Amino acid sequence: MKKILLSLVALNLALPQIYASENEKVLEAVDVVESERRDDANYFAKELVKSTTRLKLTSRQTPQSLITVLTEARLKDQGIKDYQVLLRNIPGVTLNKWDERVYPTARGFKIDYYLLDSMPSFGGFSLGANDMSLLPYERVEVVKGANGLLAGAGSPSASLNFIRKRADSKELKGNFGISAGSYDRYGVNGDVQTPVNESGSVRARLSFMHEKSHSYMDYYNRKNSAIYGVVDSDIGDNSWLSLGAFYQELRRRGVRWGGMPAFYTDGSRTNFSKNEIFSQPWTRWDIKTLDFYADFKHYFENEASLNLSYSFRRANTDSNLLYYGGAVNLDGTGNMSGLSAYANKREENIHNVDAYANIPYEIANLSHEFVFGAMYNNYKKSSDKVSSYWLQRTTPAGLAYTARSRIDFKNLHLDDPKFPYEDQNNKDKTIQKAFYAANKLSITDELKFLLGARVSYYKYEIEGGKDNRNFTNEITPYLGVTYDIGANHTLYASYTSIFKPQSVKDANDKYLDPIQGKDYEVGIKGEYLDGALQASLGVFKIVQDKLGIDTGKINPATNAKIYESGKGVTSKGVELDLNGEITKNLSLSFGATHFNAKDANGEKYATDSSRSTANLFAKYEFRDFRVGAGAMYKSKIYTGKGADEITQKGYTLANLMFGYKFAKNFDVQLNIDNLFNKKYYEGIGKNMMVYGDPRTFNLSFNYKF
C-alpha cells in the first residue's frame, strides 16, 4: 500500500509539469486573504468543506451525507454557545447525557472523534465531560458515516469539524454583548478584529466570554470563562501564517454523577422530581483547557498549495463526586453499599501535526486535483490521582465515615469524605501516524471520481506495559463518485471505512485485529434559488466487522477471557437535509434521519439511540424584526429488559426566538427553549435516568461596530 501511495504522489507531482508547457501559465501573486465569509448572515454555506478528503470540495461535491453545516448565523439565532447544546441540535444525533458527561451517537454508533480545522483529534480527550465553548469557532461541519481517510481510528458514526475564526478584517470592527436568563444566568462576551499594520497584512482578533448560572437542579451552579486570540499574517504575496490560542475554565458545583436511581427495592419505579439530584454543595467537576495552534499555507504555480498545521491541547480535570448505584428502600432511604464518593485529578495532552499538499492539474481540458499528506497524533494521559470511598471503606477513616453517614433521599446530607489521594490507572499514551492521498478525477465535466487511501500506524502504551497494543499498515480506502444532472442536481455514491482498535485477546493471548467499519452510501444533492437553498437526500448501510466476541472460554495461562472476531452490527437508514433561504426574508434549516441497527444475531442494537429524529428551525425577517421557531423530535429510546427496562417515549421540544435591531449598531434577542416545559429523559442507563432541561429563556443585548 505504501508503494501505491508513493506511486500516486510521484505521478501527480509530475502531471502539472508535463502539462505546464501546454498552458504556459505564469506564476502570479495570490491574494491569500480569503474573501469575507457570509456564514454570519446565511444558513447555507458555499465555502469549501474539508471534513472528508482535504480536496477542495463544496458540500454538493462531497459524496457523503454532509448532513448540515451549522453556520455562524444559525448558531447565533438558536443561541448555541456550547458543545453539548450543539449536539442537541444536530439531526440524527442522540445526546445520551449521564451527568456532566455526554456520549453522543449517530446511526447507532458512538461519536468518538472530532476535527479542529479539519485536523483530527483524539475523541476521548475529556470532550464528553467538557462542555467546550464554541467561542473560537465560526461554524461546525457535520459529516455522517465513516471518515477514516482523515480520522484514522474511530467508529463509523459521524465527525464534527470545528472551523476556527480567523482574523480576516483589514479594518477595526467587533461586537460586545451582555445576556441574562433563567436560573440567574448572566453573561458577557466580545469579539474584536483589527489590522496590526497599516497595510493590513497582519491582522489580529480577540474573543472572550464569561457566564455564570444556577440551575433547576438542587445545589447546582456553573461558571464558564473563555478567551480566544489569533493573529493572521500575509507573508509576501503567496504565503499565509496563523497563530492562535484558546483558554477555557469551566467550574461546576453541586454536580450529578450518573442519574437518580430508577427502582425501589420491590422493583417498582421511582418518580423523583426534575430538581432532585444525588449530590451535595461540595461536589465539583472542573476542567481547564488550553489550546495553541499554528497554520501555514504557501501557494505555488497553478494554485497548488502546501499546508502545514500544528496544534496542542491540554486539559486538567479536578472532580469530587457522589453517586448512588443501588435501589431505594420503600421508606426513601438507601444503603451505604450503593454509595460511591470519588475525587479525581487528571491531566491530558495531545500534539497534532498535519502536512499536506493540494495539486490541481488539467488533462484534456478537464480539471483534476490531487492531495497527499502525513499526520501525527500523540495523546498522553497522566495517572489518575484518586480519592475514593471504595478504596477507604475498610480503613478506620472509611468505617468512621460509614458510621456517621446516612442516605435519606428525603433529607440528603453527606459530608465531603476528604480521603487521601492515591495514584490509580497508570499513565498511558496513544500515538497515531498516517500517510494519505486522494485524487479527484474529472471523467467529463459532469462525472467525477474521488479515490483515496490512508495507511495508519496505531500504538497504545501504558506504564507497566501489560496492555500495550500496536497495529501497523491499517489501510483505509475512500471511493466516491458524483454526477451532475443539469445545473442544480448531483447524484453521488461512496464507500468509506474506518478502523477501531480492540483491547480483547484471542486464545494465543494476542490482541484481535481492529474492528472494521464500512460505510456504503448513495444519494442526491441539489442547489436552488441561485444556490441560496441546499438540499440532500441519502441512504446508507454501515457494516461493522471483526468485532471481538466472547467465546465463553478462559485462557488457563492468563486466566483471561478468550475472544474471537465475528460479525458485528449492520445499520441501515435514510437522511434528509435542507438548509438556506426560501425567500430573501425566510431562512430554513431542516434535517430528518431514520435508521435501524441490528447485531449479528438480529437483535436491536443501541436501543438508547433514537431511531428517528428531526430538527427544524425557521427564521423570518421583516424590517428590523426577526422571529424564529423550531422543533426537535426524538423517537423512543430504551435500555434493559423486562422489569429492568427504562424507557423514554418519543417526544418533541419547541423553541422560539425573537430579535429586534433598534438602531444601526444595537440588537436585542430573546431565546425560549423547551417552550412547553416538556419533562423527558435526556439520558438513560442501567438503574439510572437523567432529565433534560426544562423551559429556559435567555435575553441578549449586542452592540456592533
Side-chain angles (χ1 to χ4, degrees):
M1 189 66 199
K2 289 174 68 177
K3 292 181 178 179
I4 295 174
L5 281 176
L6 290 172
S7 299
L8 285 170
V9 170
L11 173 63
N12 283 270
L13 283 174
L15 282 171
Q17 301 299 323
I18 294 172
Y19 291 92
S21 60
E22 298 179 9
N23 301 301
E24 295 185 350
K25 295 186 178 180
V26 179
L27 178 62
E28 299 178 353
V30 178
D31 186 3
V32 297
V33 180
E34 298 181 6
S35 60
E36 186 176 358
R37 295 182 185 271
R38 299 308 302 155
D39 287 7
D40 60 339
N42 302 321
Y43 282 12
F44 63 94
K46 290 188 174 181
E47 288 79 10
L48 302 175
V49 294
K50 296 187 178 181
S51 300
T52 56
T53 62
R54 295 277 192 269
L55 295 168
K56 296 179 179 179
L57 305 174
T58 64
S59 174
R60 181 177 165 183
Q61 296 167 337
T62 303
Q64 279 185 264
S65 287
L66 187 67
I67 190 69
T68 189
V69 177
L70 290 97
T71 64
E72 186 176 356
R74 184 178 163 192
L75 294 173
K76 177 180 179 296
D77 287 341
Q78 294 189 245
I80 302 173
K81 301 177 182 178
D82 305 298
Y83 172 71
Q84 295 185 6
V85 178
L86 169 75
L87 293 172
R88 195 178 290 146
N89 287 275
I90 298 176
V93 172
T94 300
L95 190 60
N96 287 322
K97 188 175 179 65
W98 285 6
D99 33 56
E100 297 304 303
R101 298 166 295 177
V102 291
Y103 297 89
T105 60
R107 297 181 172 182
F109 302 96
K110 182 181 177 182
I111 300 175
D112 53 4
Y113 64 91
Y114 61 100
L115 300 96
L116 300 177
D117 261 348
S118 306
M119 188 159 59
S121 193
F122 188 75
F125 191 71
S126 292
L127 202 59
N130 183 15
D131 195 6
M132 179 178 67
S133 171
L134 300 184
L135 178 75
Y137 308 111
E138 187 170 63
R139 64 175 181 167
V140 183
E141 302 171 356
V142 183
V143 178
K144 297 296 184 63
N147 192 13
L149 185 65
L150 293 187
S155 296
S157 53
S159 62
L160 279 66
N161 190 9
F162 298 87
I163 307 299
R164 293 189 182 97
K165 296 174 180 176
R166 302 293 183 183
D168 52 12
S169 177
K170 293 187 177 183
E171 61 182 19
L172 177 65
K173 68 176 187 179
N175 61 81
F176 295 99
I178 59 174
S179 62
S182 304
Y183 306 105
D184 298 320
R185 181 175 179 174
Y186 302 100
V188 296
N189 63 86
D191 183 18
V192 179
Q193 297 191 65
T194 181
V196 177
N197 59 2
E198 186 175 351
S199 67
S201 62
V202 182
R203 305 164 298 280
R205 184 170 188 170
L206 181 68
S207 303
F208 68 90
M209 63 81 62
H210 174 72
E211 189 174 81
K212 63 179 183 179
S213 66
H214 291 277
S215 171
Y216 65 93
M217 296 179 290
D218 295 338
Y219 314 122
Y220 187 95
N221 66 85
R222 165 185 168 123
K223 289 184 179 179
N224 192 16
S225 302
I227 186 170
Y228 170 71
V230 59
V231 176
D232 288 354
S233 177
D234 305 335
I235 304 173
D237 293 326
N238 302 295
S239 300
W240 170 79
L241 176 67
S242 182
L243 302 173
F246 169 62
Y247 176 77
Q248 180 180 2
E249 185 171 331
L250 179 60
R251 197 208 74 165
R252 295 163 290 194
R253 297 290 186 273
V255 297
R256 315 172 276 196
W257 186 27
M260 294 295 287
F263 300 101
Y264 287 109
T265 50
D266 66 351
S268 61
R269 285 289 306 275
T270 60
N271 187 26
F272 294 101
S273 64
K274 290 190 292 186
N275 66 291
E276 293 181 275
I277 59 174
F278 191 83
S279 181
Q280 291 289 273
W282 50 265
T283 60
R284 67 180 181 274
W285 206 323
D286 300 340
I287 299 181
K288 299 177 181 178
T289 307
L290 177 65
D291 286 5
F292 293 107
Y293 79 87
D295 288 333
F296 174 79
K297 176 176 286 192
H298 179 76
Y299 290 92
F300 299 95
E301 186 177 358
N302 196 28
E303 298 183 358
S305 64
L306 174 66
N307 305 265
L308 305 173
S309 298
Y310 167 78
S311 70
F312 168 79
R313 169 168 284 201
R314 172 179 292 162
N316 293 92
T317 301
D318 183 3
S319 60
N320 194 15
L321 308 169
L322 271 177
Y323 174 67
Y324 185 76
V328 181
N329 298 319
L330 296 178
D331 62 357
T333 63
N335 303 315
M336 290 297 295
S337 60
L339 178 70
S340 292
Y342 179 89
N344 171 257
K345 295 181 181 179
R346 170 191 291 184
E347 179 175 296
E348 298 166 277
N349 295 280
I350 186 167
H351 299 267
N352 296 304
V353 180
D354 185 24
Y356 67 96
N358 282 88
I359 304 174
Y361 59 96
E362 288 189 1
I363 299 178
N365 294 319
L366 293 172
S367 298
H368 314 271
E369 184 185 2
F370 179 70
V371 61
F372 67 96
M375 289 183 182
Y376 174 82
N377 308 94
N378 188 334
Y379 167 80
K380 295 181 180 180
K381 179 183 72 65
S382 70
S383 61
D384 290 298
K385 295 183 177 180
V386 173
S387 172
S388 170
Y389 167 69
W390 279 99
L391 294 174
Q392 297 289 327
R393 66 187 186 278
T394 60
T395 68
L399 294 171
Y401 185 76
T402 301
R404 68 175 183 266
S405 298
R406 299 289 185 270
I407 300 175
D408 185 354
F409 286 89
K410 299 177 182 178
N411 186 25
L412 190 64
H413 180 77
L414 295 166
D415 294 326
D416 185 353
K418 296 182 179 179
F419 294 126
Y421 282 88
E422 303 178 23
D423 278 350
Q424 298 286 315
N425 305 322
N426 293 345
K427 61 182 181 182
D428 62 62
K429 65 179 179 181
T430 301
I431 297 175
Q432 296 188 71
K433 296 180 285 185
F435 302 95
Y436 61 93
N439 207 337
K440 181 181 71 175
L441 297 172
S442 300
I443 308 303
T444 67
D445 288 334
E446 297 80 20
L447 179 63
K448 296 177 175 62
F449 282 94
L450 284 76
L451 309 173
R454 175 188 176 106
V455 180
S456 299
Y457 303 83
Y458 182 99
K459 180 186 291 186
Y460 172 82
E461 296 179 345
I462 187 169
E463 192 175 58
K466 181 180 179 181
D467 296 314
N468 289 352
R469 300 186 290 278
N470 189 19
F471 302 99
T472 61
N473 294 313
E474 292 294 329
I475 300 173
T476 305
Y478 185 101
L479 303 172
V481 59
T482 63
Y483 183 77
D484 295 333
I485 304 175
N488 300 106
H489 297 91
T490 299
L491 295 173
Y492 74 89
S494 64
Y495 167 79
T496 58
S497 64
I498 199 166
F499 74 95
K500 187 174 181 63
Q502 302 190 82
S503 58
V504 295
K505 296 182 177 182
D506 60 17
N508 298 316
D509 199 36
K510 293 184 177 181
Y511 286 105
L512 297 183
D513 290 336
I515 301 171
Q516 298 294 325
K518 303 173 183 178
D519 186 4
Y520 308 85
E521 191 169 325
V522 295
I524 184 170
K525 297 185 179 184
E527 290 185 350
Y528 313 98
L529 306 175
D530 293 326
L533 184 64
Q534 301 174 341
S536 69
L537 175 65
V539 295
F540 65 86
K541 177 182 178 181
I542 296 175
V543 179
Q544 196 181 55
D545 284 327
K546 299 184 178 181
L547 185 68
I549 299 174
D550 189 351
T551 63
K553 302 177 181 179
I554 301 294
N555 189 329
T558 61
N559 202 35
K561 293 181 178 180
I562 296 175
Y563 290 80
E564 62 182 14
S565 293
K567 292 184 178 180
V569 178
T570 298
S571 175
K572 301 177 182 178
V574 58
E575 294 179 329
L576 171 67
D577 183 55
L578 185 67
N579 282 283
E581 294 180 352
I582 306 297
T583 68
K584 183 179 180 181
N585 302 98
L586 178 61
S587 299
L588 176 70
S589 177
F590 174 74
T593 68
H594 176 75
F595 77 93
N596 283 306
K598 295 182 179 181
D599 63 19
N601 298 319
E603 299 290 329
K604 287 186 177 180
Y605 179 79
T607 57
D608 57 353
S609 297
S610 292
R611 265 35 185 181
S612 300
T613 68
N615 289 67
L616 170 68
F617 191 83
K619 178 181 68 173
Y620 184 76
E621 299 177 272
F622 54 102
R623 294 182 180 179
D624 294 324
F625 293 88
R626 62 186 183 279
V627 59
M632 178 194 311
Y633 170 74
K634 304 287 186 183
S635 66
K636 172 186 174 182
I637 58 173
Y638 67 94
T639 185
K641 295 182 180 180
D644 295 328
E645 182 176 307
I646 301 175
T647 299
Q648 170 59 61
K649 296 180 180 179
Y651 63 91
T652 301
L653 304 180
N655 305 319
L656 285 178
M657 180 273 288
F658 301 95
Y660 176 59
K661 187 176 182 182
F662 56 89
K664 181 180 179 181
N665 298 333
F666 294 90
D667 185 270
V668 63
Q669 179 171 306
L670 173 66
N671 288 86
I672 305 174
D673 294 333
N674 193 2
L675 178 65
F676 301 109
N677 203 28
K678 176 70 176 181
K679 185 177 180 180
Y680 65 101
Y681 298 142
E682 199 164 33
I684 56 176
K686 185 179 180 180
N687 191 37
M688 59 164 273
M689 62 279 184
V690 172
Y691 286 113
D693 292 345
R695 178 173 52 239
T696 59
F697 75 89
N698 187 74
L699 182 67
S700 60
F701 175 87
N702 189 70
Y703 169 72
K704 186 176 182 180
F705 63 92

